[in-house]
């Protein structure tokens, strides 16, 4: 087959066709191809001789089972046929890709219908020394383990893993083979083995651990002195210890209702490790974590400017106890400027007669009057009619919070849209 050369327009000859796209440098064409699914990127080889081998040197390789119609609900017969096509394509894609240059990104999204092939694809991909490595194993049936990652990942800056079992090799890999790693994202992963699990990196800047499980008998140790962003979501089935968090700027913690092994003391100590953050978001924390004196003195967040409480202080203790917990928390954040209360303080079944209480005020644990001089905005997010109690509560508290604005946002359950209303709240307003 003869591939025509791209025809360039000659000056003064308007009848000539123009192929300006093919005239672009390889770098720009590779950038364009990166937006295409892998099968379509390979098909560009049919355009002309200029494009014949261009896909082979593309800096991004994506192997995605969805490009071949494979999904969780596919029937067995169709799966066999689709997997055969997917397997053939992925194997040839990696076989014919140019291995003389380092790869920008390697992304694999696949179930483990054939363990041997998936393992081989990953081994082949990491040999390119990518700067971004994403491995998403679909489904939960199999305990997929990463192949030995002993290669030098001198260029690896981002690592994303889904549904992968992580053993002691992974811990050593992070410590010794990733000198420039900045971003680590773990979801539905399991730490396994007899060795203490750890995430240790002197260069790590962002860490997200989402619904991961610690199958060892040891706490998960996180030590990352350069870390600025931390997200721990529903991953507290065992203790987590944080060390050297002086650079941390923002943190997000979600405490699952099923977290029974994660003690109150450990939760308290975890919050204490976040003393340097400027933005903190807590999900499903309870008031007792701030109130039980035997846990130790509650930390002071000297730099925190934004605090978001979602589904917090719902069930534990009387209303006054929850108010005391909130007051103590805010009192220990002297630079706080914005507070968001989202679906917090009241559950649908608690404190049905709370409004009979006439004197509502915030107190600290030492019973001193609450003060938060820099607080400028309280944002209340609600989606249920019973949450009018939270709105009225914040209005009443506004008497002790001069010059603060109260923003009410009701979420529409049908359209999932928000309708914000802004009220100027001062001591004279109430």
């Amino acid at each position: 087959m003869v591939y025509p050369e791209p025809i360039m327009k000659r000056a003064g000859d308007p009848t000539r066709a123009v192929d300006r796209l093919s005239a672009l440098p390889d770098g720009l064409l590779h950038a364009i191809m990166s937006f295409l699914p892998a099968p379509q990127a390979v098909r560009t080889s049919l355009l002309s001789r200029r494009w014949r081998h261009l896909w082979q040197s593309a800096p991004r390789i994506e192997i995605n089972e969805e490009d071949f119609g494979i999904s969780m609900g596919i029937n067995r017969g169709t799966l066999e046929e689709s997997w055969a096509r997917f397997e053939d394509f992925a194997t040839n894609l990696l076989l014919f890709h140019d291995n003389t240059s380092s790869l920008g990104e390697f992304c694999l999204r696949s179930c483990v219908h054939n363990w041997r092939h998936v393992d081989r694809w990953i081994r082949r991909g990491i040999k390119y020394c990518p700067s971004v490595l994403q491995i998403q194993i679909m489904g939960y049936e199999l305990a997929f383990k990463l192949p030995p990652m002993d290669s030098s990942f001198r260029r690896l800056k981002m690592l994303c893993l889904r549904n992968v079992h992580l053993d002691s090799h992974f811990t050593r890999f992070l410590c010794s083979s990733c000198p420039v790693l900045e971003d680590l994202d773990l979801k539905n992963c399991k730490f396994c083995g007899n060795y203490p699990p750890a995430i240790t990196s002197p260069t790590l800047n962002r860490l997200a651990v989402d619904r991961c499980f610690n199958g060892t008998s040891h706490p998960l140790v996180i030590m990352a002195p350069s870390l600025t962003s931390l997200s721990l979501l529903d991953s507290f089935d065992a203790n987590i210890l944080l060390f050297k968090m002086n650079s941390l700027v923002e943190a997000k913690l979600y405490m699952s209702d099923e977290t029974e092994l994660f003690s109150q003391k450990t939760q308290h100590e975890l919050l204490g490790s976040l003393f340097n953050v400027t933005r903190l978001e807590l999900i499903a924390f309870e008031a007792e974590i701030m109130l039980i004196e035997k846990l130790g003195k509650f930390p002071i967040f000297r730099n925190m400017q934004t605090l978001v409480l979602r589904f917090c202080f719902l069930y534990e203790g009387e209303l006054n106890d929850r108010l005391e917990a909130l007051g103590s928390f805010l009192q220990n954040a002297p630079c706080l400027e914005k507070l968001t209360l989202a679906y917090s303080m009241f559950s649908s079944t608690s404190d049905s007669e709370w409004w009979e209480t006439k004197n509502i005020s915030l107190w600290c644990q030492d019973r001193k009057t609450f003060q938060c001089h820099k607080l400028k905005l309280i944002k209340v997010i609600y989606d249920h009619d019973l949450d009018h109690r939270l709105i009225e509560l914040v209005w009443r508290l506004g008497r002790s919070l001069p010059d603060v604005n109260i923003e009410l946002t009701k979420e529409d359950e049908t359209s999932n849209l928000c309708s914000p209303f802004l009220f100027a709240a001062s001591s004279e307003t109430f």
Side-chain angles (χ1 to χ4, degrees):
M1 179 177 180
V2 179
Y3 293 87
E5 293 287 355
I7 302 174
M8 304 306 297
K9 183 178 180 179
R10 297 178 180 177
D13 187 358
T15 63
R16 290 284 186 176
V18 179
D19 184 4
R20 298 185 184 277
L21 188 61
S22 295
L24 295 175
D26 288 359
L28 286 178
L29 293 179
H30 283 151
I32 295 172
M33 293 174 66
S34 67
F35 292 97
L36 299 175
Q40 294 185 20
V42 173
R43 290 191 192 105
T44 61
S45 61
L46 302 177
L47 294 177
S48 69
R49 186 176 300 174
R50 169 78 170 92
W51 290 80
R52 179 182 292 182
H53 302 292
L54 198 59
W55 66 271
Q56 293 176 289
S57 57
R60 182 176 186 270
I61 296 179
E62 179 179 8
I63 300 175
N64 191 342
E65 64 177 22
E66 294 182 353
D67 294 336
F68 292 82
I70 300 176
S71 63
M72 298 298 293
I74 191 173
N75 63 63
R76 186 69 181 180
T78 306
L79 174 61
E80 295 288 348
E81 180 182 348
S82 298
W83 178 268
R85 293 189 295 110
F86 174 54
E87 181 181 294
D88 182 67
F89 174 82
T91 300
N92 284 284
L93 178 69
L94 292 171
L95 180 63
F96 292 102
H97 195 275
D98 179 16
N99 60 3
T100 61
S101 58
S102 298
L103 197 64
E105 180 177 355
F106 177 76
C107 178
L108 170 67
R109 179 184 175 89
S110 172
C111 61
V112 193
H113 185 62
N114 187 311
W115 193 303
R116 180 172 59 89
H117 282 291
V118 173
D119 182 87
R120 188 173 62 190
W121 295 338
I122 295 176
R123 290 174 183 267
R124 184 74 177 183
I126 61 180
K127 284 186 177 180
Y128 291 109
C129 295
S131 58
V132 176
L133 177 61
Q134 299 188 47
I135 299 176
Q136 302 183 33
I137 303 301
M138 312 306 296
Y140 302 88
E141 308 85 22
L142 298 175
F144 184 83
K145 293 184 179 181
L146 289 175
M149 304 176 74
D150 297 328
S151 302
S152 175
F153 282 82
R154 61 187 181 277
R155 301 178 61 252
L156 187 64
K157 291 186 176 182
M158 177 183 292
L159 176 62
C160 302
L161 301 177
R162 300 287 187 273
N163 293 334
V164 174
H165 279 209
L166 308 174
D167 55 17
S168 58
H169 295 290
F170 175 76
T171 298
R172 292 195 294 269
F173 159 73
L174 286 181
C175 294
S176 61
S177 301
C178 305
V180 295
L181 184 65
E182 298 178 354
D183 197 323
L184 178 60
D185 193 337
L186 306 176
K187 186 174 183 179
N188 296 326
C189 293
K190 179 180 179 180
F191 293 92
C192 55
N194 298 321
Y195 294 90
I199 298 175
T200 304
S201 170
T203 60
L204 194 62
N205 183 264
R206 175 187 172 274
L207 172 62
V209 182
D210 185 358
R211 287 172 285 178
C212 292
F213 176 72
N214 186 353
T216 74
S217 58
H218 307 278
L220 172 62
V221 175
I222 300 176
M223 185 166 61
S226 300
L227 198 68
T228 61
S229 177
L230 173 66
S231 178
L232 300 176
L233 305 180
D234 197 7
S235 300
F236 300 97
D237 51 280
N239 290 348
I240 297 179
L241 303 179
L242 304 180
F243 294 98
K244 296 184 179 180
M245 293 289 151
N246 295 343
S247 300
L248 201 60
V249 175
E250 60 179 15
K252 182 177 181 180
L253 306 181
Y254 169 39
M255 181 61 57
S256 171
D257 293 337
E258 300 178 357
T259 305
E260 299 178 356
L261 300 177
F262 198 64
S263 67
Q264 295 176 358
K265 181 175 177 59
T266 304
Q267 296 177 49
H268 187 89
E269 293 175 349
L270 183 61
L271 286 176
S273 302
L274 308 177
F275 65 92
N276 208 44
V277 296
T278 60
R279 186 185 190 280
L280 178 61
E281 180 173 351
L282 300 180
I283 305 173
F285 273 69
E286 292 300 334
E288 58 188 7
I289 306 303
M290 291 79 176
L291 292 177
I292 300 179
E293 296 180 358
K294 66 181 181 180
L295 297 179
K297 188 175 180 181
F298 195 68
I300 297 179
F301 300 88
R302 298 191 182 279
N303 299 323
M304 188 164 63
Q305 300 175 2
T306 302
L307 173 63
V308 181
L309 300 177
R310 297 184 184 274
F311 302 99
C312 291
F313 308 163
L314 290 178
Y315 305 108
E316 298 293 335
E318 301 294 331
L319 175 61
N320 286 336
D321 294 333
R322 281 172 268 160
L323 287 172
E324 182 179 331
L326 179 60
S328 298
F329 202 153
L330 301 185
Q331 188 68 30
N332 280 18
C335 294
L336 186 66
E337 298 178 0
K338 179 180 178 180
L339 169 65
T340 298
L341 297 174
Y343 326 108
S344 295
M345 300 299 292
F346 297 103
S347 68
S348 59
T349 59
S350 66
D351 300 290
S352 58
E353 303 297 329
W354 79 273
W355 50 80
E356 294 181 0
T357 304
K358 300 298 183 182
N359 298 318
I360 295 178
S361 60
L362 288 179
W363 297 89
C364 306
Q365 279 187 299
D366 55 9
R367 306 306 293 174
K368 292 182 179 179
T369 304
F370 167 80
Q371 295 180 352
C372 199
H373 299 291
K374 295 187 177 182
L375 187 61
K376 300 299 181 183
L377 175 64
I378 298 179
K379 184 175 182 180
V380 180
I381 301 176
Y382 64 101
D383 65 350
H384 196 282
D385 290 339
L386 290 178
D387 286 337
H388 71 273
R389 297 171 299 177
L390 177 57
I391 298 171
E392 187 172 347
L393 171 65
V394 174
W395 280 351
R396 292 190 187 186
L397 294 179
R399 297 188 182 98
S400 59
L401 301 171
D403 303 322
V404 66
N405 290 326
I406 300 175
E407 180 180 321
L408 308 180
T409 303
K410 183 174 182 179
E411 292 193 348
D412 190 327
E413 296 180 352
T414 58
S415 62
N416 199 30
L417 298 176
C418 296
S419 302
F421 302 91
L422 186 63
F423 295 84
S426 65
S427 57
E428 291 79 19
T429 304
F430 294 93

